[in-house]
Amino acid sequence: MARPKTPDKKRSNGDGGVWELEAGRWRWEVVLGYVTKPDGTRSRKSKSGTAKNETEAKKALTLARADKERGMLATPDRITVAEWLEKWLVTRGARIRRNTHLSYEHIIKKHLAPNLGTKRLQALKPVDLHVMYETLATHGLTAKTLRNIHGVLYGALSDAMKLELIYRNVADITRPEAPPQDNNIKASQSWTASEAAQFLNVARGDSLYALFYLLLSLGLRRGEVCGLRWANIDLERRSIRIDEALVCEAGKLAISAPKTKRSRRVLRLPSDSLEV
């Protein structure tokens, strides 16, 4: 009886090879990577298969190596969705605003971890997302909230793909459907010019009248107008500079950068706004 051959030395180079089995068939194997265990030892992870002869085994090995290079084969790992989301949020923390971080954290703890947390990251399927979105929709979550939840999950899975923890982003396949609208609920609409003028007329005697006027006349965000300082306003040049905003972070007020880079801007003050 033939003894099993060791992996083909010319083709392995530490990333797999082909060898003959006792039954006359051939096995191929491509090494995907190594996972470090809690005790410090490393476990090799690989993908393998069998073929009827050496030529077919080497052909399968070549295809598997090509898939590995294209990122189509991810290193197996026992990490759960909850564990990955926790690690992902830590790495994202330094690159996003504090309020955004808190929003992501809330979505993960409130919705993603309870519904998907125990599932293995690599075993996550489109149907898992579909069931979660259907469940959340029945609990009364709005379409916007569902989109926010999907956005966080999509971002986390996209980064997992870049690190080759998974080979596809299931959030790119399954998206939340908009919950049915209640016909008794009137869709929110912006004020008409007449309604805005009526509001300002009533608010004229209020101490925040200037704030209300700037909000409506310049289309500022609430945080932007609340974060304005006199140093940001040039009455002679009739301009107003938006470069910071007042935000609420974990129940406390704080000065922060505007929401986006494009939010940093200089606006022309119309004559009526200048007068106010």
Side-chain angles (χ1 to χ4, degrees):
M1 181 178 293
R3 295 177 61 187
K5 293 184 178 181
T6 57
D8 183 356
K9 297 299 183 182
K10 292 193 300 181
R11 289 180 172 269
S12 64
N13 295 322
D15 66 344
V18 299
W19 65 94
E20 187 178 4
L21 301 174
E22 292 183 352
R25 292 179 65 82
W26 285 72
R27 176 172 291 277
W28 59 268
E29 178 188 59
V30 59
V31 177
L32 302 177
Y34 296 83
V35 175
T36 302
K37 298 179 180 180
D39 60 2
T41 60
R42 294 205 310 164
S43 174
R44 187 179 72 171
K45 301 300 180 180
S46 63
K47 181 178 178 63
S48 62
T50 59
K52 61 183 179 181
N53 54 49
E54 183 179 10
T55 301
E56 293 296 324
K58 289 180 177 180
K59 180 179 179 181
L61 176 64
T62 300
L63 292 175
R65 282 174 170 163
D67 285 343
K68 177 185 175 183
E69 292 298 318
R70 294 198 302 269
M72 297 299 291
L73 298 180
T75 304
D77 203 315
R78 302 300 300 180
I79 187 172
T80 64
V81 173
E83 290 169 340
W84 169 245
L85 288 172
E86 182 180 354
K87 293 180 180 179
W88 175 78
L89 188 60
V90 171
T91 60
R92 294 285 296 177
R95 294 179 286 167
I96 57 178
R97 300 172 68 213
R98 173 64 176 165
N99 259 14
T100 303
H101 184 277
L102 292 173
S103 175
Y104 286 3
E105 185 177 42
H106 172 77
I107 287 174
I108 290 172
K109 290 183 177 180
K110 180 74 173 180
H111 304 297
L112 295 178
N115 288 282
L116 302 175
T118 58
K119 296 184 180 296
R120 282 201 307 115
L121 182 64
Q122 290 192 334
L124 194 61
K125 299 178 181 179
V127 66
D128 297 325
L129 273 63
H130 176 75
V131 171
M132 178 185 69
Y133 292 139
E134 287 289 310
T135 301
L136 294 177
T138 60
H139 290 168
L141 270 66
T142 65
K144 184 178 185 301
T145 300
L146 290 175
R147 287 195 302 270
N148 290 341
I149 294 171
H150 179 80
V152 172
L153 181 60
Y154 181 88
L157 295 181
S158 293
D159 285 348
M161 275 189 65
K162 294 176 184 177
L163 296 176
E164 298 187 8
L165 293 175
I166 55 176
Y167 70 90
R168 66 170 179 171
N169 187 342
V170 293
D172 204 20
I173 302 172
T174 304
R175 298 174 180 272
E177 296 182 4
Q181 291 186 349
D182 187 341
N183 293 329
N184 295 322
I185 300 177
K186 183 179 179 181
S188 60
Q189 295 178 345
S190 300
W191 283 349
T192 64
S194 176
E195 289 170 333
Q198 183 179 359
F199 170 81
L200 290 175
N201 186 52
V202 174
R204 187 175 298 276
D206 194 277
S207 61
L208 295 179
Y209 177 68
L211 180 146
F212 298 143
Y213 201 97
L214 287 178
L215 275 172
L216 291 172
S217 63
L218 298 180
L220 299 178
R221 295 185 177 94
R222 180 181 59 180
E224 292 174 342
V225 73
C226 289
L228 278 176
R229 306 175 191 268
W230 282 113
N232 301 118
I233 302 174
D234 190 329
L235 297 179
E236 293 185 1
R237 291 194 173 97
R238 302 175 60 173
S239 67
I240 181 171
R241 188 179 72 256
I242 306 297
D243 56 16
E244 57 186 6
L246 185 67
V247 298
C248 183
E249 299 178 348
K252 297 181 179 180
L253 294 178
I255 294 295
S256 175
K259 190 171 184 179
T260 64
K261 290 183 179 180
R262 295 183 61 183
S263 297
R264 292 182 179 273
R265 60 202 189 276
V266 176
L267 301 175
R268 179 74 172 174
L269 279 172
S271 300
D272 54 343
S273 298
L274 182 64
E275 181 181 349
V276 172

